[in-house]
Amino acid sequence: MRNFDWLMFSIPIVLTLLGIMTIYSATRSVLDTQPSFYVRQSIWLVLSIVALFVSASFDYRKLIGFAYHLYGIGLILLFLTIVLGHTGMGAQRWLRIGPVSFQPSEMFRIAIIIVVAKYLSIKRSPLSTSPLATLLFLFVLIPFYLLYKQPDLGTAITLVGIVVLMVLVKGVQKRILVSLLLVIIISLPFAGNILWEGLKEYQRNRLVAFIDPKVDPKGIGYQIEQSKITIGSGKFFGKGYLKGTQGPFRFLPEKHTDFIFSVFSEEWGAVGSVVVISLYLLLIIRGFETAFYAKDEFGTLLSIGISAMFLFYVFINIGMTMGLMPVVGIPLPFFSYGGTALLSNFICVGLLINVRMRRFILFY
Amino acid sequence: MIDKKKTITVLAYISMAVFVIFLLRLWQLQILKGSYYRKQSEKNRVRVFKIPAPRGIIFDRNGIPLVKNAPYFIASLIPGLSKKGLNLSGLSKLLDTSVEDLSEKIAKRKKHVLEPIRLKEGLSFSQVARIEARRSDFPGLVVETEITRAYPYGSTGAHLIGYLSLPTEAQLRKGLFAGTPRGTFVGQWGVEALYDKRLKGVPGKRFIEVDALGRQLRTLKVVPPQKGEELTLSVDIRTQKTAEEAFKGKAGALMALDPQSGEVLALVSLPSFDPNLFVRGISQRQWNRLRRNPGHPFLNRVFQSQYPPGSIFKIVTAIAALEEGVVDENFSVDCTGEIHVGIWKFSCWKGQGHGKTALRKALVESCDIYFYEIGRLLGMDRIAKYANALGLGIAPGVKLSAERKGLIPTTSWKLRKKGIPWYLGETFNAAIGQGYVSITPAQAALMISAIANGGNVYRPELLKDQPGPEPIAKLSLSPKTLRIIRDSLVGVVEDRKGTGGTVRSEIVGIAGKTGTAQVIKIPESAKKKLANKFRDHAWFVAYAPAEDPSIAVSVFVEHGGHGGETAGPIAKATIEAYMKSSGYYVETPAKN
């Protein structure tokens, strides 16, 4: 434990504690009985810290051995979610095991990063056609399809983005890259069309609303407009903790999950928001730094995958609350309410710490 | 793996770029537009509900309330709070309307999703109770309240008091009632419309903290409504009621004035309508029935119907003759029943004639021949001058409805209008109030009121105790002329041969004059057999008490025949009612 990165450990804990405070504020209710979201999130935090230590404790290179098994289990769980999962918000994202519901897609993130890191680390750089085709089929199309079916488009797109980024980092033969780019550019209109047709009504509305929130400020553009009001009304110093109105008064939908940042920003203003964003930046930069220090390629790719994931999630989520991104159902790591996501994120940080801790170990 | 250091440096820069984008956006949202969004969030939280202002009560001159405020309930649906798959058939049963009606109203919405759509108006108390009990089954269903009127006197005084209703589509399109909140009842007729601004008050506001589902959490602030101003009308509702009943279902008009102040004591236009029909939203069927009614209930006959004044105009001719000095009170004419001008024959209504007739007798017995003679001596233009000075040919300017001005012809008027000169025979006709001459019942009241007060024509005043009457015309006449005319008018009622004998009262001395406006010119004997629509119109103008007048009244009865027969008793009933109501005459209990 000599080289345990206490900074990397403390950032997520601070963020989660701020998150729990905000969840309390957002779900405090004026009339209804108070749901105990913040209590549950606190319990999950304890579990998650344990999970972090566990995932930091063993040599991460052992993961290479059962990466495929993990990935296989992940796919099966995703498949089961579609078949058995119960519906939340019109999407089947939860799987119930005993008293606990959990979201397999959140755990699946770790599995896909590990398996892609492993797969890429054993291939020669730059990648040629056949490993790319395997990648495309096994680690992009299949999970994308399963997530899309749930439907959890946000996670699906983010995961594809992570995989693509990891592949680019690994390196692809120039001619393949150029021809792939051409194919993508040419097929974009058709693909876009097919994708559009495949979107559910609410997903299309979200896109339309993103492009023009004024279309119907109480209808589809409602969430975006309300989120901007929530953030903007915080001004420089914020309204003060528990003084926010947008969340508890239900103007803001998904206030304790996807739009938790808005609630925080309303109460803590620009000052608080900059602190939180800086914490995320610090965590992400430190993650990339870990990738740099990593002794082996698997460690580097694993760290890049995890850090990129955090970057994407933060960018998409906070960008969405600020009206810079379309509304996609992606939680803010550590902040948003959601036990599985919290657990998964802490495991990811645990893995980063793991890689960082073992950078001085000599390989035998 | 490509250059590790370079790759990771790029990734770190991308991360920092994201950070910078966030900072810029935060700066934009929270610093630059912070105040705007702060205001938006305040607005979000608070919704303002209107509290309808109680409308000012309208009283009669004795403090009797003529109107009552009544709640008006509307079942509305707030679409933004309603769920998909609203149980329309259940709702239609609850509201007692058809599913088609409801879905049409809901589909027609153009407004904000939190603006209520009115589904059913004018609910009864029991309907409101039923809806409140079942509110939870229909999310978004609310009961709104407005204040409307109830008119306890029904059609009595309807043309004066008027009524309230919701603004019509056409009125809203024209931009009328722009300052009034949506769905507020507005005055549409009579005093309710004329003094709408004073009566309506200022609606209050209730600021309520709500969540985005529109659920009301708590009241933040209440700005109480300001009650509208109370109005005391000059009308005496007891006199009004008696006057209307005295018409016994006949069409016509009546205006009673206080000659000293110009205050309107009664204003009757019949047939009338029940204003209560409008406040609960009149049905298309009822509306059509009223509109197509051959009696034209919406015509305010007091100001809008003009007819030849008949013999009541002889007052004007007599005054003109005395004041111009063309005759004195002793000048007499031998009435043989007819007079010849060239080849034309002009008759007196009394075929056998009145014999030797001076001015007083001519007025009391309404001799036509006498007035032909003095008309000939005066000429039309001099008669017209006095008519105008008595308010005839001028709009009284009450603004209660559109007003007609009647017509007092002159020689130049005829030349201008018809292109031919004035004939003497036309002066004959005008001198007895026939031919071109026409006046409205309001003008008749102003004329007789001027006789009663000594020559002042005041604008009729609808409110009690207003400062100083406003003169619209004035006739300066010598006390002697006034005395002669007044004495003659007493004679009309009191003399054995007076044409107004039916008006003679046990309780007060009345002065007056009968009049008959000819519909067609045929012998008197034949008229009895005629259909009602060819019968003459009856006039009567009067004031009382004769020695110190406190009421002047004009009565017009459509197709009433002789003024003395039908219009007279109405004038008498009205005057007696006012004498009792104003305390001039106190009834003593009958002795057994």
Side-chain angles (χ1 to χ4, degrees):
Chain A
M1 293 300 276
R2 192 160 45 89
N3 296 312
F4 190 88
D5 186 354
W6 290 103
L7 180 66
M8 190 100 97
F9 171 74
S10 47
I11 292 173
I13 290 183
V14 171
L15 287 171
T16 308
L17 289 175
L18 288 174
I20 289 170
M21 272 171 65
T22 314
I23 290 165
Y24 174 76
S25 173
T27 56
R28 97 196 124 89
S29 175
V30 185
L31 279 187
D32 304 354
T33 50
Q34 191 161 307
S36 53
F37 287 113
Y38 70 101
V39 177
R40 280 190 256 164
Q41 187 80 343
S42 306
I43 295 167
W44 277 105
L45 173 62
V46 175
L47 286 175
S48 300
I49 292 172
V50 173
L52 180 144
F53 281 114
V54 171
S55 54
S57 61
F58 61 92
D59 188 339
Y60 67 91
R61 281 167 298 168
K62 284 188 181 142
L63 288 172
I64 299 172
F66 44 96
Y68 290 133
H69 303 89
L70 278 177
Y71 186 63
I73 293 167
L75 285 181
I76 290 166
L77 284 177
L78 279 189
F79 183 71
L80 280 178
T81 315
I82 298 169
V83 181
L84 309 170
H86 66 274
T87 302
M89 305 294 291
Q92 303 159 323
R93 293 179 190 172
W94 279 270
L95 210 55
R96 188 176 279 276
I97 300 170
V100 214
S101 285
F102 88 113
Q103 249 178 307
S105 62
E106 296 292 353
M107 285 303 173
F108 184 74
R109 292 184 309 187
I110 311 173
I112 199 169
I113 291 170
I114 292 172
V115 80
V116 172
K118 176 202 166 153
Y119 185 82
L120 289 173
S121 65
I122 58 174
K123 296 292 168 191
R124 228 176 332 141
S125 175
L127 294 169
S128 60
T129 322
S130 80
L132 266 181
T134 317
L135 260 168
L136 185 72
F137 182 73
L138 272 182
F139 308 132
V140 176
L141 288 183
I142 292 178
F144 186 88
Y145 179 75
L146 289 174
L147 287 167
Y148 172 74
K149 265 288 169 192
Q150 285 200 11
D152 188 355
L153 197 64
T155 307
I157 291 172
T158 319
L159 292 191
V160 170
I162 293 166
V163 173
V164 169
L165 186 91
M166 289 170 77
V167 169
L168 289 176
V169 167
K170 172 72 183 179
V172 181
Q173 285 177 0
K174 232 176 209 142
R175 55 183 180 87
I176 298 176
L177 197 63
V178 170
S179 45
L180 267 178
L181 268 175
L182 277 175
V183 168
I184 288 170
I185 290 168
I186 293 165
S187 65
L188 205 59
F190 308 101
N193 212 358
I194 292 164
L195 200 64
W196 180 256
E197 294 296 322
L199 287 179
K200 296 211 166 189
E201 186 65 29
Y202 75 90
Q203 293 169 324
R204 287 186 206 170
N205 286 346
R206 283 172 174 181
L207 280 174
V208 171
F210 169 67
I211 292 159
D212 185 7
K214 298 278 182 298
V215 169
D216 179 7
K218 288 282 168 180
I220 45 181
Y222 179 76
Q223 298 181 342
I224 296 172
E225 201 51 39
Q226 286 299 328
S227 180
K228 279 160 74 180
I229 290 173
T230 311
I231 294 175
S233 66
K235 297 173 93 172
F236 191 72
F237 289 110
K239 292 177 180 171
Y241 184 55
L242 298 180
K243 297 270 168 58
T245 50
Q246 291 281 101
F249 291 100
R250 296 165 198 273
F251 292 109
L252 193 65
E254 309 284 331
K255 55 200 182 281
H256 59 295
T257 56
D258 294 356
F259 286 95
I260 190 84
F261 180 78
S262 315
V263 177
F264 177 83
S265 201
E266 182 190 17
E267 295 188 340
W268 298 92
V271 177
S273 307
V274 170
V275 169
V276 166
I277 293 170
S278 305
L279 286 174
Y280 279 113
L281 180 71
L282 199 61
L283 178 70
I284 291 161
I285 297 279
R286 205 153 176 91
F288 284 132
E289 193 191 49
T290 303
F292 180 72
Y293 288 141
K295 276 286 175 227
D296 61 342
E297 198 173 345
F298 174 68
T300 302
L301 287 168
L302 184 65
S303 305
I304 286 178
I306 290 171
S307 306
M309 178 193 74
F310 285 143
L311 178 62
F312 284 0
Y313 269 61
V314 170
F315 180 60
I316 293 175
N317 179 280
I318 297 186
M320 167 185 87
T321 63
M322 291 178 170
L324 296 170
M325 289 292 229
V327 177
V328 279
I330 281 210
L332 184 60
F334 311 111
F335 237 81
S336 291
Y337 175 75
T340 324
L342 193 70
L343 189 65
S344 156
N345 287 324
F346 267 83
I347 290 172
C348 286
V349 175
L351 291 177
L352 283 177
I353 292 174
N354 193 333
V355 173
R356 198 178 178 91
M357 218 161 62
R358 287 173 175 81
R359 62 182 193 247
F360 304 113
I361 293 173
L362 291 173
F363 293 134
Y364 42 87
Chain B
M1 180 137 186
I2 54 171
D3 189 345
K4 189 166 134 185
K5 188 175 176 182
K6 212 170 103 187
T7 309
I8 287 169
T9 312
V10 169
L11 287 172
Y13 278 129
I14 290 173
S15 308
M16 280 187 259
V18 169
F19 179 75
V20 171
I21 290 171
F22 283 171
L23 285 189
L24 289 173
R25 183 64 165 178
L26 279 177
W27 182 64
Q28 185 193 20
L29 291 178
Q30 297 190 302
I31 312 299
L32 290 185
K33 294 176 81 181
S35 301
Y36 165 76
Y37 284 122
R38 179 67 65 91
K39 224 175 266 159
Q40 292 289 103
S41 83
E42 294 290 322
K43 252 200 272 174
N44 247 344
R45 203 158 49 87
V46 177
R47 279 194 63 205
V48 184
F49 293 84
K50 188 186 82 177
I51 311 172
R55 210 171 153 84
I57 298 296
I58 302 172
F59 297 97
D60 93 330
R61 67 183 299 109
N62 298 312
I64 300 171
L66 303 178
V67 297
K68 277 187 204 154
N69 281 335
Y72 180 80
F73 299 110
I74 307 120
S76 301
L77 184 75
I78 300 176
L81 308 185
S82 173
K83 294 218 175 79
K84 290 231 168 74
L86 174 73
N87 178 3
L88 271 182
S89 68
L91 190 59
S92 77
K93 263 188 218 120
L94 182 65
L95 300 182
D96 196 21
T97 56
S98 67
V99 174
E100 296 76 52
D101 179 52
L102 289 182
S103 46
E104 189 192 327
K105 277 178 176 151
I106 292 169
K108 231 169 58 183
R109 146 188 112 80
K110 280 180 241 101
K111 299 191 190 92
H112 199 282
V113 290
L114 289 178
E115 283 280 299
I117 306 168
R118 297 191 159 189
L119 298 180
K120 168 101 182 203
E121 310 211 351
L123 305 171
S124 66
F125 278 104
S126 64
Q127 276 177 310
V128 170
R130 264 199 304 158
I131 291 170
E132 289 294 345
R134 294 205 49 206
R135 273 265 296 278
S136 55
D137 298 348
F138 303 98
L141 185 66
V142 293
V143 174
E144 296 183 276
T145 310
E146 291 285 351
I147 290 177
T148 185
R149 291 283 214 209
Y151 299 98
Y153 288 91
S155 66
T156 302
H159 276 282
L160 176 69
I161 301 165
Y163 61 83
L164 288 189
S165 80
L166 292 169
T168 63
E169 289 287 328
Q171 287 174 325
L172 291 176
R173 264 199 304 275
K174 269 194 243 161
L176 297 168
F177 311 113
T180 333
R182 188 193 67 95
T184 307
F185 280 84
V186 291
Q188 297 278 26
W189 198 270
V191 166
E192 291 273 33
L194 189 58
Y195 295 111
D196 190 49
K197 281 205 176 74
R198 288 166 70 172
L199 288 165
K200 70 181 178 186
V202 184
K205 285 173 185 168
R206 182 176 282 124
F207 295 83
I208 288 178
E209 198 166 61
V210 294
D211 63 18
L213 295 180
R215 282 186 287 203
Q216 304 181 5
L217 303 177
R218 62 193 159 118
T219 302
L220 296 176
K221 190 170 76 166
V222 174
V223 178
Q226 281 168 265
K227 194 174 192 297
E229 194 185 326
E230 290 184 342
L231 287 184
T232 300
L233 301 187
S234 56
V235 72
D236 179 59
I237 193 67
R238 293 186 287 238
T239 306
Q240 173 84 26
K241 201 160 186 296
T242 309
E244 289 196 21
E245 282 162 5
F247 274 81
K248 297 198 178 100
K250 287 203 176 63
L254 175 148
M255 190 185 213
L257 297 168
D258 179 336
Q260 312 306 335
S261 63
E263 286 180 1
V264 174
L265 302 175
L267 191 143
V268 177
S269 176
L270 293 170
S272 184
F273 54 86
D274 183 358
N276 291 306
L277 284 177
F278 296 92
V279 292
R280 303 249 154 225
I282 189 166
S283 73
Q284 195 62 40
R285 205 167 50 87
Q286 283 172 314
W287 173 240
N288 285 339
R289 217 169 50 202
L290 273 174
R291 249 188 10 192
R292 296 194 189 125
N293 185 324
H296 303 293
F298 290 110
L299 184 72
N300 190 339
R301 288 169 160 78
V302 176
F303 301 101
Q304 291 176 310
S305 57
Q306 50 186 19
Y307 291 97
S311 299
I312 63 172
F313 194 75
K314 288 173 181 167
I315 299 171
V316 178
T317 313
I319 290 172
L322 291 172
E323 285 292 296
E324 289 291 318
V326 296
V327 296
D328 64 13
E329 70 220 81
N330 301 317
F331 170 81
S332 68
V333 169
D334 186 26
C335 170
T336 59
E338 56 184 55
I339 183 173
H340 295 268
V341 176
I343 57 164
W344 287 283
K345 185 183 86 177
F346 290 86
S347 314
C348 186
W349 66 269
K350 194 173 177 185
Q352 71 268 38
H354 290 95
K356 188 167 179 291
T357 306
L359 190 136
R360 187 174 192 280
K361 183 180 172 187
L363 274 174
V364 168
E365 298 182 27
S366 207
C367 173
D368 292 337
I369 304 296
Y370 178 87
F371 285 94
Y372 295 152
E373 284 299 339
I374 62 172
R376 186 207 310 260
L377 296 170
L378 277 165
M380 187 61 222
D381 292 347
R382 282 202 281 186
I383 297 174
K385 190 177 94 185
Y386 284 85
N388 290 335
L390 282 165
L392 307 182
I394 306 169
V398 180
K399 299 196 185 102
L400 204 54
S401 67
E403 289 175 356
R404 300 183 75 171
K405 289 201 283 193
L407 178 67
I408 302 300
T410 58
T411 52
S412 59
W413 167 84
K414 193 188 172 198
L415 200 60
R416 198 172 62 241
K417 272 277 183 224
K418 316 252 169 185
I420 41 172
W422 186 266
Y423 298 123
L424 177 61
E426 289 167 337
T427 308
F428 280 16
N429 276 333
I432 62 161
Q434 307 289 356
Y436 293 122
V437 184
S438 72
I439 66 170
T440 64
Q443 288 171 330
L446 288 177
M447 189 244 322
I448 194 66
S449 173
I451 305 300
N453 68 26
N456 294 303
V457 180
Y458 296 129
R459 188 183 307 287
E461 176 59 64
L462 299 174
L463 302 182
K464 195 191 174 193
D465 296 334
Q466 294 299 296
E470 185 192 343
I472 52 173
K474 183 165 171 62
L475 175 67
S476 321
L477 74 177
S478 67
K480 190 182 171 205
T481 304
L482 193 62
R483 202 190 63 236
I484 295 165
I485 297 293
R486 282 180 175 173
D487 177 52
S488 309
L489 294 183
V490 170
V492 169
V493 177
E494 300 293 341
D495 287 11
R496 196 176 52 81
K497 284 191 165 176
T499 51
T502 51
V503 185
R504 205 172 301 144
S505 167
E506 302 281 308
I507 67 171
V508 65
I510 298 174
K513 180 76 194 82
T514 54
T516 306
Q518 284 178 353
V519 174
I520 50 169
K521 209 169 187 168
I522 49 159
E524 194 65 24
S525 52
K527 281 188 181 171
K528 290 250 155 63
K529 299 174 199 130
L530 279 174
N532 188 51
K533 65 174 180 175
F534 296 119
R535 295 190 65 194
D536 293 339
H537 303 307
W539 282 100
F540 199 90
V541 291
Y543 61 83
E547 60 283 7
D548 180 21
S550 62
I551 180 171
V553 62
S554 70
V555 182
F556 176 77
V557 184
E558 279 180 22
H559 308 296
H562 259 305
E565 285 165 32
T566 50
I570 296 170
K572 177 186 170 186
T574 306
I575 289 170
E576 287 190 341
Y578 185 64
M579 289 301 123
K580 288 172 192 166
S581 178
S582 64
Y584 173 87
Y585 175 80
V586 182
E587 267 176 299
T588 45
K591 281 174 213 150
N592 289 347

